[in-house]
Structure formats: C-alpha cells, structure tokens
C-alpha cells in the first residue's frame, strides 16, 4: 500500500503542548510525519534554529514515525523533495482561518498535488501560541500546562540570558 508522508511546518519558537497535540493526531493518521521549522519572514524568533530543533527532538522522541527538520525556501518545494502529499496545519479558532485559507490556496496554486489538511487541537489549547508562552514566562507566569518541562527550562534560561522580563 502507498505510504503517506505529511509535513507539519511552523516557526516553533518554542514548540508548545498545542503543537504536540496536533503532531500526535497526525502521527496516528499518516505513515510518516516530518515536523519542519520553516521561515516566516515576518517573524524574528527568540530561539536559534538549532535550539528549536533540539526542543522539538526532545519533545517528540516518543513518536516513532515523526522526524524533525529545518528548511529555507518554499514549503511546496520542500514537500516535493520529501515526496510528501500532505501539509498539516492546526486550526485553533476562527481567527486562524483567513490566514490559513490564504496560505493553503497559495500553496495549492504552486503545487496542485499537495493537499493541506487542518487538524484541531484539544480545546484546552485553542488560546495558546508561542508568543503568549514567551510573554507569560518573561513575567514569571505559570507555564507548566503549556510546554514540556525541557522546553520550560530552556525558555527560562534563554529569557535570563537575554535579560527579557526585567525592568531596565
Ligand atoms: N498550538 C499552539 N500554538 C499554535 C498551534 C497549536 N496547535 N498552531 C499554531 N500555533 C501558533 C504558533 O505557536 C504561532 O504562534 P506565534 O505567532 O506566537 O509564534 C502561530 O500560531 C502560528 O505560527 P506557525 O504555525 O508556526 O506558523 P507561522 O505563521 O509562523 O509560519 C510557515 C508559517 C512557516 C509554515 C509559513 O510561513 C511557511 O510555509 N513558510 C515557508 C515559505 C512559504 O512557503 N510560504 C508560503 C507561501 S508564500
């Protein structure tokens, strides 16, 4: 039978439990899932690419059919190179829809054989995103329910190194 590879691209700055929820669902649906850090030219990530890869790898090591990667360029070209026919995106709320709809249509225009499939995370993660987690952590808010322990340690260390969250 044909094996299906799905790609889950994102900034993952850092990976959250909401992302992991989506990855778990995708891992049960597809033969192979490649979680790949991609470039969103509007964002300036806090973590380096290697740090984000490390956090993803540590957080996803229990999923045997999931691998972690990084690429620069168009997602459609990356998908072609990996022989992937499916692109996974998470839909948390109606507010995600317009942006995701536009991106999936552009990608379909560029590669008609690549299908975007939207998965919904558990409702407890619908309000979650990486910026909120970074902000909460910088203000000493409780983040234990939102990110894995390893990611929490890395985030706290990073914020300290960058002196984020302290008054000048
Ligand atoms: N749980 C928690 N948070 C989630 C989530 C979930 N299930 N799903 C999305 N998010 C959050 C992310 O943490 C992120 O939060 P932030 O904005 O605070 O950082 C936000 O929702 C959306 O980010 P993400 O899913 O990482 O997407 P993105 O918009 O940063 O990046 C790319 C989208 C990287 C996939 C896209 O820009 C891309 O494909 N780039 C390559 C170039 C390309 O081909 N572009 C498209 C054609 S022009």
């Amino acid at each position: 039978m044909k094996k299906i590879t799905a790609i889950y691209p994102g900034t993952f700055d850092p990976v959250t439990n909401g992302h992991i929820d989506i990855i778990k669902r995708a891992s049960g649906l597809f033969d192979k899932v490649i979680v790949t850090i991609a470039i969103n030219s509007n964002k300036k990530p806090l973590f380096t690419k290697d740090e984000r890869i490390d956090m993803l790898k540590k957080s996803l090591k229990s999923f045997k059919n999931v691998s972690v990667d990084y690429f620069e360029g168009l997602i459609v070209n990356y998908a072609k190179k990996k022989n992937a026919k499916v692109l996974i995106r998470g839909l948390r709320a109606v507010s995600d829809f317009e942006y995701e709809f536009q991106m999936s249509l552009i990608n379909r225009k560029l590669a008609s054989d690549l299908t975007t499939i939207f998965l919904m995370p558990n409702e407890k993660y619908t309000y979650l995103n990486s910026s909120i987690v970074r902000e909460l952590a910088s203000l000493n808010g409780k983040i234990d329910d939102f990110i894995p322990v390893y990611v929490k340690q890395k985030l706290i260390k990073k914020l300290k190194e960058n002196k984020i969250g302290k008054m000048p």
Side-chain angles (χ1 to χ4, degrees):
M1 229 178 59
K2 211 163 87 175
K3 300 243 181 215
I4 300 181
T5 298
I7 292 180
Y8 181 40
T11 307
F12 303 111
D13 187 41
V15 59
T16 68
N17 290 343
H19 293 125
I20 295 169
D21 181 285
I22 295 283
I23 294 161
K24 188 176 173 193
R25 289 168 202 278
S27 144
L29 287 170
F30 302 103
D31 299 291
K32 207 173 139 192
V33 177
I34 306 174
V35 178
T36 188
I37 294 172
I39 293 179
N40 175 339
S41 48
N42 296 313
K43 288 186 178 174
K44 270 196 165 178
L46 172 69
F47 288 99
T48 66
K49 130 195 162 211
D50 289 338
E51 289 166 339
R52 285 178 282 154
I53 289 176
D54 171 60
M55 287 184 284
L56 277 167
K57 281 192 173 164
K58 292 272 187 338
S59 308
L60 301 173
K61 60 175 188 287
S62 63
F63 300 106
K64 298 301 168 219
N65 61 343
V66 175
S67 59
V68 176
D69 199 7
Y70 169 87
F71 83 99
E72 290 174 24
L74 285 176
I75 189 73
V76 291
N77 293 341
Y78 178 80
K80 196 170 175 191
K81 202 172 106 194
K82 295 290 170 183
N83 210 9
K85 296 275 174 274
V86 174
L87 206 60
I88 303 287
R89 293 291 292 165
L91 265 192
R92 289 158 301 162
V94 178
S95 51
D96 282 343
F97 182 75
E98 216 168 311
Y99 170 66
E100 294 297 338
F101 188 59
Q102 183 188 29
M103 207 158 59
S104 75
L105 289 181
I106 290 175
N107 284 331
R108 194 160 72 186
K109 175 91 182 144
L110 296 172
S112 57
D113 58 342
L114 183 65
T115 301
T116 303
I117 292 185
F118 295 101
L119 297 177
M120 280 179 290
N122 187 304
E123 57 278 7
K124 65 185 178 197
Y125 301 127
T126 47
Y127 51 84
L128 192 57
N129 64 27
S130 302
S131 317
I132 294 271
V133 170
R134 290 195 304 270
E135 181 159 352
L136 265 178
S138 75
L139 300 170
N140 293 322
K142 199 168 177 299
I143 47 173
D144 303 64
D145 291 345
F146 306 141
I147 50 177
V149 177
Y150 181 76
V151 177
K152 180 185 165 186
Q153 289 162 354
K154 291 282 163 185
L155 179 56
I156 291 171
K157 188 166 172 262
K158 187 79 173 176
L159 293 170
K160 265 194 195 139
E161 280 167 9
N162 289 285
K163 296 188 171 52
I164 297 173
K166 296 246 175 1
M167 289 286 188

